[in-house]
Amino acid sequence: MITLESYVQGAWRAGDGEGRSLFNPTTEEPLATCSTAGIDFGAVLDHARDTGGPALRERGFARRGELLQALSSAIHDYRHELLDLSVKNGGNTRGDAKFDVDGATGTLAAYAYFAKEVGDCDAFLPDGEGVKLGRTARFWGQHILVPKRGAAIHVNAFNFPAWNMAEKMACALLAGVPVIEKPGTPSAMVAWRMAQVIVESELLPEGAFQFLCGSAGDLLERMGPQDTLAFTGSSKTGALLRGNPNLVRHNVHVNVEADSLNPAILGPDVDSEADAYDLFVANVTLDMTQKAGQKCTAVRRILVPAERCEDVVRDLVESLGRVQVGDPAESGTRMGPVASQSQFDDVRDGIAALAAEADVACGGADPIRDKGFFIEPTLLVAREEARTVHEREVFGPVATVVPYSGAADEAIALANRGGGGLVASVYSNVAGWKREVVLGISPWHGRVWIGSDRVAEQALPPGMVLPASTHGGPGRAGGGEELGGIRGLSPYLQRTAVQGFQGFVGPSFGGSWSEG
Ligand code: NAP
C-alpha cells in the first residue's frame, strides 16, 4: 500500500488520518490511500494566484504553448508506466488505457499547436475586428480577452484520470491561469503519477500547477470572483457544486460537464447492406464496451426503426458476444471490470431499473466472477412507454434499444427526451432526413455526429472527444463547454470591450486574430 500525496505550495504533502483507499477493481486488492485532511486550501489558492499566475502571464501565449508541447513529451516518456497503472487501478484494458493516456498527451500537443494560431500575443488576445462606435471612426471599440487573475480549480471524474486533467490544464495554462487539479479518487493513481512527472520535469513555473489527491475539503468555500471552477462528473454533484453559496455569492465562473443519455439514431434507409450499418454496429459495440461503458459520451439509447429491431438486436448481440470480458492485464481481453465497488453496485441497480421496462437481450445484472467488479455487456430492448431509459444514466457496459417509427420527427422527440446530451450520432444516407434530424436535435446536444456510407472508412467514433471540436452539452449534460480549439480558453479569460480614440485603441488592442 502506498500513500498518494498532494502537491501544494511547492511541496508534496500527505494528508492527516487514514484517508480513502484505492483498489484494483479486477482483484479487489487495496493499492493505496490518500487524504487531503489538514491541507490549508486558502493557502493553496493564494499560492496559485500570487505566485503561479504572474509567472505564467509573464511568458505570453506562444511561450505557454511551447510549455504544453514540452509537458506532452515529458508525460509521453512515462507512457508505459502510466498504462500499467491505468490497467491496475482503473480496470482498463491496455487499449482503454491508451485512450486515456494518449488522449492526454495528444490534447496537450494539440493546444501547443493551437497556440501557434494566436501568434505572439502577449498580455491579451484581440477578439474579432474593431468597430466604429461614434459618428465617425474616431470613437472606436475593440474586444479583448485577458487572463483572469485567479486560479483554475479542476474537479475531475474517475473515468478519465489522465485526459480529464490534461484537457482542462491545457486550456487554463495556455490562457495564463494556474491550475489546481483534483482527480476522481477511486482511480487517482494515474493522475498522481502524471502529477509527479509534471513536477519533476520542472517545466512549469512554481505555483502554476498544484495537485490534490483526495477530498476537495473547503476549497470551494475559499474561491473568489477571479477564480474558475471546471467540474466533470455526475449531474448530481455538478448541481451541488454549482449551488455552492460562496460560488453563487461571488459569481464564480463554473463550467459543468456532466452525464448524458447519448442517442444513436439509425435512419430508416440504412439496411444491412449499407456501409453505414456496419459502422453503426461497430460504433455501438465499441461505445458499450470501451472502458466497460464508463465514457460520458457512450451511447445509452439506440433508436431503431421498429421493423428493423429484431435484425439489429440480433447483430448487436452477436457483436457484443465477441467481446472477451476478463482480466484487463491479459492481452486477449477486450473489456475489463468497472472501476469501483460503488460503480458496480450502481450499474447493477441501474440494469434492474431499466429491465423493469425493457427486455434483456444479452447480459444482465448478475456478477460474472467471484472477485472483481465485472458486468457483462448488457443490451436491453425498451417496451412501449418505457421512461427510465430517458432519465437514468447507467454508467457501465449497458445500452437500450428504443424502437421508433423511422419518422424524423419521432427520432427528434425521442432523442431530445434525454434532457440535453453531449453527443448524438445519426446514421443515414438520405440528405433531407439527416438535415431535419440534425437541426431538430442540435438545440439539445453539444455535438452531432453523422455516419454515412461516404465517411464509413474515415469517421472517428462518436465517443471520441477531439480537441478541435467543442465538448459539453445543455441541460442534464451540465450546460458547459470545453475544448473546441482556442474557444476552450474562454472560461479562463475575461472578455473586455475597450472603447476610446481609434488612434490609440486600434494600434494598441486591435489585431487580425479572431476567436472561432
Ligand atoms: P462524481 O461522483 O460526480 O465525482 C466527480 C468529481 O467530483 C470527483 O472528483 C469527486 O471527488 C468530486 N466531488 C464529489 N462530491 C464533491 C463535493 N461535495 N465537493 C467537491 N468535489 C466533489 O462523478 P464520478 O463518479 O467521478 O464520474 C462519473 C460521472 O461523470 C458520470 O455520470 C459521467 O457521465 C460523468 N462524466 C462526464 C464527463 C463529461 O465530460 N461530460 C466526462 C466523464 C465523466 P471524489 O472522487 O474524491 O469523491
Side-chain angles (χ1 to χ4, degrees):
M1 281 269 264
I2 53 170
T3 302
L4 308 183
E5 298 184 332
S6 296
Y7 183 74
V8 288
Q9 296 173 270
W12 288 96
R13 158 99 203 255
D16 302 336
E18 282 187 9
R20 260 171 84 180
S21 298
L22 285 72
F23 296 87
N24 179 333
T26 306
T27 61
E28 300 184 35
E29 163 207 5
L31 297 173
T33 60
C34 65
S35 161
T36 55
I39 289 177
D40 179 347
F41 291 99
V44 173
L45 277 166
D46 284 343
H47 188 59
R49 293 171 187 142
D50 300 341
T51 309
L56 274 175
R57 291 195 297 275
E58 216 178 79
R59 284 161 167 82
F61 286 86
R63 175 78 188 100
R64 294 196 294 267
E66 288 162 17
L67 284 178
L68 296 183
Q69 182 56 60
L71 277 178
S72 171
S73 305
I75 296 166
H76 185 78
D77 286 347
Y78 290 82
R79 178 172 186 259
H80 291 290
E81 191 186 335
L82 294 169
L83 295 180
D84 288 345
L85 277 178
S86 174
V87 172
K88 202 166 159 186
N89 180 212
N92 294 298
T93 63
R94 212 161 170 83
D96 293 344
K98 286 179 194 167
F99 193 57
D100 185 31
V101 172
D102 293 345
T105 49
T107 304
L108 285 164
Y111 271 87
Y113 175 78
F114 298 146
K116 294 183 183 154
E117 260 181 57
V118 303
D120 58 359
C121 298
D122 188 5
F124 69 94
L125 296 180
D127 176 28
E129 301 295 325
V131 59
K132 171 170 91 86
L133 296 175
R135 189 163 43 83
T136 70
R138 178 179 287 264
F139 192 58
W140 191 251
Q142 170 71 52
H143 290 93
I144 60 168
L145 297 160
V146 287
K148 291 183 185 169
R149 291 330 195 227
I153 286 78
H154 294 159
V155 176
N156 292 324
F158 76 84
N159 57 333
F160 283 106
W163 172 79
N164 225 193
M165 181 158 101
E167 52 106 17
K168 287 188 168 61
M169 211 169 89
C171 293
L173 292 176
L174 183 55
V177 176
V179 299
I180 300 170
E181 298 291 335
K182 183 203 135 24
T185 302
S187 62
M189 286 180 86
V190 172
W192 164 77
R193 186 67 188 112
M194 259 171 75
Q196 284 188 330
V197 171
I198 291 168
V199 172
E200 282 161 16
S201 74
E202 295 183 351
L203 286 163
L204 293 174
E206 183 47 49
F209 175 85
Q210 297 182 85
F211 178 79
L212 297 171
C213 209
S215 159
D218 66 355
L219 184 65
L220 270 52
E221 322 303 329
R222 294 170 178 279
M223 289 177 68
Q226 286 283 308
D227 299 323
T228 301
L229 173 67
F231 164 83
T232 297
S234 62
S235 30
K236 195 169 156 204
T237 312
L240 182 79
L241 302 199
R242 195 198 289 285
N244 177 295
N246 179 55
L247 302 186
V248 173
R249 186 166 49 249
H250 291 295
N251 289 314
V252 173
H253 183 96
V254 180
N255 193 75
V256 174
E257 297 290 341
D259 46 76
S260 178
L261 297 163
N262 309 297
I265 307 171
L266 186 66
D269 61 293
V270 180
D271 61 24
S272 58
E273 301 300 310
D275 291 343
Y277 182 74
D278 296 338
L279 184 66
F280 161 82
V281 172
N283 282 339
V284 171
T285 306
L286 179 72
D287 259 358
M288 287 180 65
T289 56
Q290 188 174 42
K291 292 189 68 64
Q294 299 163 109
K295 255 177 12 199
C296 53
T297 51
V299 65
R300 305 289 170 202
R301 301 176 297 151
I302 310 162
L303 275 53
V304 176
E307 67 198 32
R308 307 275 329 280
C309 258
E310 209 178 308
D311 293 349
V312 170
V313 169
R314 183 200 59 225
D315 292 345
L316 287 174
V317 168
E318 197 184 299
S319 173
L320 290 165
R322 287 196 291 271
V323 175
Q324 193 169 326
V325 183
D327 183 340
E330 286 172 12
S331 61
T333 300
R334 287 258 318 274
M335 188 180 106
V338 294
S340 66
Q341 178 76 56
S342 71
Q343 268 304 112
F344 184 62
D345 296 341
D346 196 53
V347 172
R348 294 185 64 204
D349 272 4
I351 293 174
L354 290 172
E357 299 169 327
D359 300 318
V360 177
C362 67
D366 292 339
I368 53 173
R369 287 188 167 204
D370 293 343
K371 274 265 177 236
F373 309 130
F374 290 91
I375 305 265
E376 260 190 285
T378 299
L379 185 73
L380 301 103
V381 183
R383 293 195 283 269
E384 221 174 307
E385 299 310 319
R387 296 165 59 106
T388 310
V389 63
H390 302 293
E391 290 166 2
R392 179 158 177 179
E393 180 201 48
V394 181
F395 204 56
V398 183
T400 306
V401 170
V402 179
Y404 80 108
S405 64
D409 57 353
E410 194 187 342
I412 294 165
L414 283 169
N416 294 348
R417 267 182 79 180
L422 296 171
V423 56
S425 44
V426 181
Y427 297 82
S428 173
N429 291 311
V430 176
W433 189 91
K434 271 192 294 200
R435 190 171 188 280
E436 187 178 344
V437 171
V438 169
L439 290 177
I441 62 177
S442 285
W444 288 91
H445 295 88
R447 183 158 59 89
V448 178
W449 179 103
I450 307 161
S452 65
D453 290 357
R454 298 295 294 268
V455 296
E457 283 204 358
Q458 286 195 19
L460 296 166
M464 186 180 264
V465 174
L466 299 168
S469 295
T470 53
H471 173 60
R476 79 170 292 146
E481 195 175 284
E482 286 183 342
L483 301 172
I486 293 298
R487 293 176 188 85
L489 274 58
S490 299
Y492 310 104
L493 299 169
Q494 174 62 43
R495 177 178 283 108
T496 302
V498 182
Q499 303 171 329
F501 174 47
Q502 198 270 349
F504 168 70
V505 172
S508 303
F509 300 110
S512 56
W513 184 81
S514 89
E515 192 185 18

